[in-house]
Amino acid sequence: MKTAGVNGFECGAVRVQVLGPWLVRVEQRGPAGFEDRETFTVRERAAEPVRVGIHQEAGFRVAATPEFRVAVPEDANGLEDVRIESADGTPLAVLSPAMLRAAHLPSPSALPALWVLGDHPRVVPPPWGALPPPEGCRDAASGWDLANDAPDAYVFFPAASGYERFRADLLRLTGPVPLVPLHALGLWYSRYHEYSGDEALAVMDRFRAAGIPLDLFVVDTDWRVGGSSGYEINERLFPDLARFAARAHERGVRIMLNDHPEPRGAHALDPAELRFRRDGLVSLLAKGVDAWWFDRNWHTHLQSPAPGLEKEVWGMRLYRDVTADFAPERRPLVLSNADGVGNGWRTGPSHPAAHRFPVWWTGDTRASWGYLRMGVANSVDWGLLALLPYVHEDLGGHHDQPDEDLYVRFMQFGAFSPVARIHCTKGVHRYPWEYGPRAERIVGDGFRLRYRLLPVLYAAAVEANQSGTPLLRRGDLEWPEHPEAADSTQFLLGDDLLVAPILDPAGADGLSRRAVWIPPGGWQDAWSGRIHRGPLLIGAACALEQVPVYVRRGGIVFHIPQRPVAGEAVWPELTAEAYAPPADGAQARTFHEDDGWSRAHETGQTAATDVELSRSGDTLRLSVRPQPAPEGIRPARRAWTLRLHLPPGAAVGDVRLDGCRLDAAEFVVFPPAEHPSAGLFTGPGAAPPPEAGAVVEWRGARPTNAPCELAVEMRLAIGGMEKSQKVSIL
């Protein structure tokens, strides 16, 4: 591990290391001295260049930077009485042990002057991680060093640095959010039910017959003898587990098994315990099982390796390390309990390293409107308060049987969730076809839309990996100056889709209602085409078939033809829906391509393509600009559909492709439809909704390494370029 060098000092039992303009470490000497090794929580301490002045001052030794000061008593025996000040000497805090406890991350709209990450407990892993130690290691803790724990504080200055810099510094310290495999963004089906292999395959076939995509089938705990102990396969249900996995793979479906682990050693780090866990998991992975569900269990469960390092996050590391060791070329996929959420209820802050081990669910919930509301808020808030961007619900609730209205609203939220996983317990069901033809069609439409939007979801996953930005973005990430933006019952999916799930039952007229905060700018109702100018609070009313969705004017939404499985993150056919901005300017969006499952992206085996929408007066331009990439990642040619959504009332003038004027036969203009859309982003040839403007569509195949540009000149009506609607709360 890289660590800080000259940007600091030692004073008594305390060491100060300035790691960046807005980050400083204040560490107490441990039993074995100051700690420079990687710990469970902290992976990187490389220091950025910072001008630091060190001097004596009235009984204190002081490190002064252009942004802050750290003053340590000359006879310091610990962190107590270490003062943190602003650059001008204004007191910000005096460090104390209480500050080392886990804490929620600050919200973008409520940044504190000072925030502290405590590396507690400070546990040092061996090079082999949570695997059994190599032969010859006689350490009872399997090489894990628990003996140099000491107070260790990393002090951030979020209000001064800004939220993005704060988050970047935190992730630089603790490690990034890994990129999940593409199939993790597909549909999962799960049920606590004693499935046999043949019954499970029949369920997969029923999804296919219904035209509902499916990527993961979860076999809950009854795959094993006794249901919740050991790794012996229940051969009554799965006489040949390897053959079952192979038959599922023939259908394009991956298999996840639930594990309620129970300890076999005297200690979590006991070599026998780690060997038992590794051997058991690997025996099943070797039979074709693709992923693990680490279920913490409530009665017998994994032990904690050290006080303060709880079983939830320890198990995340354990299962990730075993999976990664078995197939180092693959991106591990482990489902774990969301640290800090128990059965839907928030129980406290998450461990600051938990974000390195996706994905997470909120535990056993119930089929009720209250739990649906909590589920939306948990997914949205935990992406900010814990940097856990893949927190999700048991869709439909674990317990109870929802009615059609509640079931559909759960599934519609799932279609826009970071992870879409249907689940329930014994004695109830969540099959879409069990709720009647209307519900089956609506739910199927929602998940089919999710698969068409895979480029949007994957781009959001890549962004989460690169910057920590969650897939579901609470409004105050972009508009922290507006208190309404912190509403966690609505969110941006990626950059340009504003989604407001329905959270209450329908009224007597069959319509469901809710308030929606429209952010600044223009936002087009994806169903009606009506444009709202924010900031504005509106009332939305919709039938069961619809969930409120709004598209940013000036945004770009990518979608692909329907897929039955997620497949590769490669888009040989791609549609770009570009919505004319309300004023001159430019916005760029990026989509990403790679194999969708391996870790090759970590060494640059990935391709990004930028698409820019710009407006200058009455001319719109949609420009495609591939970034340099290794050969063989992108398809050789891409079938493009470029769709420019004009402002309401605008007529089409010249249309040019790469500067050459197109004849009328070379593009299509779709006027607004007479009736609202029956579906969203349904593909080439779709007419815009009634209150929208016309759409200019061009289709053609182009080499993927070559840029292209579609330009449309508009003739705008006098008196304004687009209608803006303001709607009162219903």
Side-chain angles (χ1 to χ4, degrees):
M1 167 188 276
K2 297 176 183 177
T3 192
V6 297
N7 286 352
F9 60 81
E10 294 179 16
C11 184
V14 171
R15 179 169 68 169
V16 173
Q17 294 175 311
V18 177
L19 301 181
W22 306 103
L23 174 60
V24 61
R25 180 191 191 191
V26 184
E27 173 197 11
Q28 181 175 319
R29 182 187 291 114
F34 294 114
E35 186 60 74
D36 291 325
R37 294 172 293 175
E38 175 182 337
T39 68
F40 188 97
T41 300
V42 175
R43 300 188 62 182
E44 179 62 81
R45 301 189 194 95
E48 294 183 49
V50 179
R51 180 164 53 86
V52 182
I54 300 173
H55 62 274
Q56 298 297 123
E57 185 178 297
F60 286 84
R61 197 166 192 198
V62 178
T65 80
E67 311 299 344
F68 60 83
R69 291 162 38 101
V70 180
V72 182
E74 291 179 345
D75 57 350
N77 292 317
L79 299 194
E80 294 88 348
D81 299 326
V82 174
R83 300 193 319 222
I84 310 296
E85 303 169 346
S86 65
D88 63 4
T90 302
L92 298 178
V94 176
L95 295 184
S96 69
M99 290 178 153
L100 303 182
R101 297 172 188 154
H104 290 303
L105 273 63
S107 294
S109 52
L111 295 175
L114 183 143
W115 188 85
V116 177
L117 167 66
D119 188 359
H120 174 74
R122 193 167 66 187
V123 175
V124 178
W128 50 87
L131 298 170
E135 292 295 329
C137 177
R138 299 289 180 255
D139 183 1
S142 299
W144 287 74
D145 187 351
L146 311 179
N148 200 32
D149 192 18
D152 198 352
Y154 295 82
V155 182
F156 299 77
F157 303 86
S161 70
Y163 179 79
E164 289 189 6
R165 178 61 198 246
F166 160 74
R167 186 177 62 193
D169 282 342
L170 180 61
L171 290 171
R172 179 167 60 91
L173 194 69
T174 59
V177 178
L179 179 60
V180 298
L182 182 66
H183 57 260
L185 302 178
L187 180 62
W188 307 28
Y189 180 78
S190 173
R191 186 186 183 195
Y192 178 32
H193 174 76
E194 197 179 62
Y195 279 109
S196 68
D198 288 341
E199 186 181 3
L201 293 169
V203 173
M204 300 175 206
D205 291 340
R206 185 66 179 84
F207 271 92
R208 293 284 181 259
I212 300 176
L214 183 67
D215 265 275
L216 273 137
F217 190 94
V218 182
V219 182
D220 212 313
T221 189
D222 287 313
W223 61 268
R224 68 198 336 160
V225 172
S228 287
S229 177
Y231 295 98
E232 184 180 352
I233 298 168
N234 183 343
E235 294 185 352
R236 176 177 63 84
L237 299 176
F238 294 94
D240 189 339
L241 183 64
R243 184 170 182 270
F244 164 70
R247 293 177 69 190
H249 294 162
E250 290 169 1
R251 292 161 166 80
V253 178
R254 289 174 167 83
I255 299 300
M256 172 179 277
L257 297 186
N258 175 293
D259 188 10
H260 280 67
E262 80 295 339
R264 286 297 178 92
H267 187 271
L269 299 175
D270 186 288
E273 160 68 9
L274 295 180
R275 193 171 297 110
F276 169 72
R277 194 68 51 205
R278 190 275 313 273
D279 292 350
L281 299 181
V282 166
S283 72
L284 294 153
L285 293 171
K287 293 181 182 297
V289 172
D290 300 283
W292 275 110
W293 177 358
F294 159 51
D295 194 332
R296 64 184 167 195
N297 211 345
W298 296 103
H299 305 294
T300 61
H301 50 70
L302 292 178
Q303 301 301 310
S304 167
L309 183 56
E310 301 302 334
K311 63 182 182 295
E312 287 81 5
V313 72
W314 167 245
M316 295 178 198
R317 170 80 189 248
L318 176 81
Y319 281 68
R320 193 284 309 272
D321 284 6
V322 170
T323 305
D325 183 66
F326 175 79
E329 76 285 358
R330 297 198 316 227
R331 302 174 204 171
L333 179 59
V334 176
L335 172 63
S336 305
N337 295 82
D339 195 26
V341 183
N343 294 347
W345 295 91
R346 300 182 188 183
T347 58
S350 177
H351 188 280
H355 64 269
R356 298 204 306 262
F357 314 110
V359 299
W360 314 273
W361 105 108
T362 59
D364 298 345
T365 57
R366 310 201 75 92
S368 75
W369 292 98
Y371 273 97
L372 173 57
R373 179 178 290 271
M374 284 196 301
V376 174
N378 286 335
S379 290
V380 173
D381 286 341
W382 242 237
L384 290 180
L385 303 181
L387 292 187
L388 303 184
Y390 298 100
V391 168
H392 66 282
E393 285 296 284
D394 287 345
L395 290 179
H398 179 76
H399 298 287
D400 310 322
Q401 186 65 45
D403 62 16
E404 179 190 59
D405 191 10
L406 177 59
Y407 174 78
V408 168
R409 296 310 187 186
F410 254 115
M411 299 301 146
Q412 286 172 330
F413 167 55
F416 295 101
S417 291
V419 174
R421 186 180 57 87
I422 302 172
H423 180 74
C424 64
T425 190
K426 292 182 176 182
V428 295
H429 62 77
R430 301 290 183 263
Y431 299 129
W433 45 88
E434 294 288 344
Y435 290 83
R438 184 189 185 197
E440 179 182 351
R441 171 179 53 80
I442 296 169
V443 170
D445 284 347
F447 290 126
R448 286 185 283 269
L449 170 62
R450 180 181 182 85
Y451 276 69
R452 294 196 298 274
L453 291 176
L454 279 173
V456 173
L457 287 161
Y458 199 62
V462 170
E463 184 63 31
N465 170 243
Q466 293 178 348
S467 73
T469 303
L471 280 72
L472 306 190
R473 303 175 188 176
R474 206 171 71 186
D476 54 339
L477 267 170
E478 189 167 343
W479 302 281
E481 69 278 11
H482 291 280
E484 303 90 342
D487 182 356
S488 55
T489 69
Q490 61 178 62
F491 52 85
L492 288 177
L493 175 60
D495 294 301
D496 297 316
L497 294 177
L498 175 65
V499 182
I502 293 296
L503 303 174
D504 293 294
D509 59 358
L511 298 180
S512 297
R513 292 171 168 81
R514 67 157 294 162
V516 181
W517 182 72
I518 300 295
W523 295 83
Q524 180 170 311
D525 187 316
W527 300 99
S528 70
R530 180 177 301 164
I531 294 172
H532 304 277
R533 295 284 295 171
L536 175 71
L537 191 66
I538 68 169
C542 56
L544 190 62
E545 285 78 4
Q546 297 179 352
V547 58
V549 177
Y550 307 85
V551 186
R552 188 197 303 260
R553 299 294 298 192
I556 305 169
V557 178
F558 302 110
H559 57 94
I560 58 174
Q562 201 67 61
R563 292 182 174 186
V565 295
E568 292 187 321
V570 177
W571 326 117
E573 299 178 63
L574 189 66
T575 297
E577 308 272 1
Y579 292 77
D584 286 2
Q587 289 268 19
R589 300 290 183 254
T590 303
F591 65 86
H592 300 266
E593 294 175 286
D594 56 41
D595 59 30
W597 63 270
S598 82
R599 299 178 63 181
H601 67 284
E602 296 174 2
T603 57
Q605 298 300 304
T606 183
T609 302
D610 300 325
V611 180
E612 181 181 88
L613 173 63
S614 63
R615 177 173 183 164
S616 179
D618 61 357
T619 300
L620 296 175
R621 285 185 172 84
L622 190 61
S623 304
V624 178
R625 297 169 182 162
Q627 296 181 19
E631 292 289 331
I633 296 175
R634 298 182 176 107
R637 293 177 68 81
R638 195 181 323 277
W640 274 107
T641 301
L642 303 180
R643 289 167 54 90
L644 280 166
H645 292 247
L646 306 186
V652 179
D654 281 350
V655 178
R656 296 178 179 272
L657 184 68
D658 296 332
C660 298
R661 187 176 184 276
L662 297 180
D663 293 333
E666 296 178 281
F667 63 91
V668 181
V669 178
F670 294 98
E674 293 184 3
H675 303 288
S677 303
L680 304 182
F681 308 113
T682 54
E691 298 183 54
V695 171
V696 178
E697 179 180 286
W698 172 83
R699 300 188 211 176
R702 285 297 181 93
T704 53
N705 60 357
C708 70
E709 180 179 271
L710 180 68
V712 175
E713 293 181 4
M714 303 177 293
R715 294 191 294 271
L716 302 174
I718 296 175
M721 60 184 184
E722 61 184 51
K723 294 181 289 183
S724 175
Q725 301 287 338
K726 291 193 175 184
V727 183
S728 61
I729 295 297
L730 295 173

